[in-house]
Amino acid sequence: QEKNNTGVDAIQEVFAAQKFYDATRALVISTSPFTKPALELAHKIGVECWAGGLLLKELYKQQFFYPPG
C-alpha cells in the first residue's frame, strides 16, 4: 500500500458510521487513489468510492456551481 493511498481503514470507518447513524448511503471521497483491497471491500459492503474529480463533476452536473471559464 502506498503511503498516501486511501486504504481499507477509510472504508471500514465510513461503513461503521453508516450503520451507527442509520444512513442510507456510504461514500468515501478522496483526492488520493484507492488501494485495490479498499475498492474490493467497498464493493462487497456497498460503500461508494469517489475520486476528488468525480465530486467536482457531480457538483457541476447538479448545478451547485458552474465550471470556470
Side-chain angles (χ1 to χ4, degrees):
Q1 172 177 331
E2 291 282 330
K3 185 169 125 178
N4 294 326
N5 288 357
T6 303
V8 295
D9 54 333
I11 307 303
Q12 292 169 333
E13 289 175 19
V14 168
F15 181 72
Q18 178 189 23
K19 298 305 174 191
F20 183 81
Y21 293 107
D22 294 320
T24 58
R25 190 173 182 189
L27 175 63
V28 177
I29 301 171
S30 178
T31 56
S32 300
F34 290 93
T35 64
K36 184 176 179 182
L39 291 172
E40 290 172 352
L41 176 62
H43 178 73
K44 284 188 175 193
I45 62 177
V47 173
E48 294 178 63
C49 295
W50 287 16
L54 183 55
L55 174 61
L56 289 176
K57 287 180 187 177
E58 286 297 313
L59 290 171
Y60 294 147
K61 187 168 80 175
Q62 300 301 322
Q63 298 181 354
F64 287 113
F65 62 91
Y66 296 97

